[in-house]
Amino acid sequence: MIDLPLLLALFVAVAYFTFSSRGMLAYTFGIYLDLPNVIIHECGHALTARLWGGSIQSIKFNVLPAIVKNSGILGLAEIGNRSGLGMFFSLLGGYVSQALFFVVMSYLYLQGLLLWIIPLFLGIYLLTNLLAREKSFWQNLIILIVIGISILIYRNDSSILIRIYQSVDIITISFVVWYMLGLAHQFFIVLLLKNDSHWDGTALATKTYIPTIIWKGLFLLAMGGAYFAPSWLQLLLV
């Protein structure tokens, strides 16, 4: 797994990119860098709301840079009826979920359970989409493709698919690094957010009367701690 010096070097590199990048190319790269984190973030909002008795109206993601730039939204979970407590925990669920997910990924990686990482990610996304009242064509198509591939894999005459998947660890490793760099990027984006901007921290401040800066600090602590999980988990698991 990635050791601490490399984690720090990548963290500093992402910080440099976040603070110095300009132009549409850098903006587009940032969007796709963040995408896996945003998917877990929005699923976290939705599933936490559902856990506390709310309903999921829809979960949507914009992957075209022009649309994201115009709307300012890469992903959005539309939640139906929910209690005040459900609202509180669903607002917490975004950044906390994406942080916890990387901790889980790091644990699975360190335990040699690489093959669980991508299916777990897809499972969270598919579960959220299936629980939503509105489903887009593309999301339904993804569900059908995943179900079809699963059927093929578990058929006796398709065991070769399992061997191919097991032999290509580079796919999972690349996904872990992708998610990790996106988590670092999200850390610095939250750091740059102004207290009067519209985001989870200001919404929580409105609901709880606890200043936005406190929520920002808690989210930064969660994401920063999660980013370095590959390092501190190794110490805990020794």
Side-chain angles (χ1 to χ4, degrees), residues 39-40 42-44 46-48 50-51 56 58-59 119-135 139-140 142-143 146-147:
I39 290 174
I40 294 298
E42 297 304 329
C43 288
L47 293 175
T48 308
R50 181 62 184 265
L51 185 65
I56 305 171
S58 66
I59 182 165
L120 179 61
F121 175 82
L122 291 175
I124 292 171
Y125 170 73
L126 294 175
L127 174 63
T128 307
N129 188 63
L130 287 171
L131 291 173
R133 293 178 179 177
E134 299 176 11
K135 304 174 181 64
Q139 289 172 341
N140 284 328
I142 291 172
I143 291 174
V146 172
I147 291 174

Side-chain angles (χ1 to χ4, degrees), residues 29-224:
F29 180 77
I31 287 173
Y32 293 118
L33 183 65
D34 288 350
L35 187 58
N37 272 269
V38 172
I39 290 174
I40 294 298
H41 181 106
E42 297 304 329
C43 288
H45 281 314
L47 293 175
T48 308
R50 181 62 184 265
L51 185 65
W52 286 88
S55 60
I56 305 171
Q57 188 66 26
S58 66
I59 182 165
K60 301 173 182 177
F61 301 99
N62 297 318
V63 295
L64 296 178
I67 296 177
V68 177
K69 194 171 183 64
N70 290 332
S71 65
I73 297 173
L74 180 53
L76 177 65
E78 296 180 338
I79 311 299
N81 297 328
R82 52 184 166 176
S83 64
L85 200 59
M87 173 75 78
F88 170 75
F89 281 107
S90 65
L91 287 170
L92 274 180
Y95 290 110
V96 172
S97 292
Q98 68 186 82
L100 285 176
F101 186 74
F102 187 66
V103 173
V104 172
M105 287 173 66
S106 301
Y107 176 80
L108 291 174
Y109 196 109
L110 291 170
Q111 294 297 312
L113 302 172
L114 284 170
L115 298 183
W116 285 94
I117 293 175
I118 292 178
L120 179 61
F121 175 82
L122 291 175
I124 292 171
Y125 170 73
L126 294 175
L127 174 63
T128 307
N129 188 63
L130 287 171
L131 291 173
R133 293 178 179 177
E134 299 176 11
K135 304 174 181 64
S136 73
F137 168 77
W138 291 108
Q139 289 172 341
N140 284 328
L141 181 61
I142 291 172
I143 291 174
L144 291 174
I145 290 173
V146 172
I147 291 174
I149 291 174
S150 299
I151 292 173
L152 287 174
I153 287 177
Y154 285 103
R155 286 182 56 182
N156 292 332
D157 58 351
S158 298
S159 59
I160 187 174
L161 293 176
I162 297 178
R163 291 196 294 272
I164 292 173
Y165 181 55
Q166 289 174 335
S167 67
V168 192
D169 286 348
I170 189 64
I171 295 174
T172 300
I173 294 170
S174 299
F175 179 77
V176 170
V177 173
W178 180 14
Y179 192 96
M180 182 184 73
L181 295 177
L183 183 63
H185 190 229
Q186 289 271 295
F187 176 93
F188 292 110
I189 287 176
V190 171
L191 184 63
L192 288 171
L193 285 172
K194 297 180 180 178
N195 290 338
D196 59 351
S197 58
H198 181 67
W199 66 292
D200 297 352
T202 54
L204 281 163
T206 301
K207 294 292 180 184
T208 63
Y209 301 104
I210 297 173
T212 304
I213 190 67
I214 300 298
W215 294 113
K216 176 185 281 192
L218 289 173
F219 289 143
L220 290 174
L221 181 63
M223 289 190 289

Side-chain angles (χ1 to χ4, degrees), residues 14-31 69 185 188-189 192:
V14 173
Y16 177 79
F17 168 78
T18 307
F19 290 113
S20 65
S21 60
R22 298 290 186 273
M24 196 61 185
L25 183 61
Y27 184 80
T28 301
F29 180 77
I31 287 173
K69 194 171 183 64
H185 190 229
F188 292 110
I189 287 176
L192 288 171

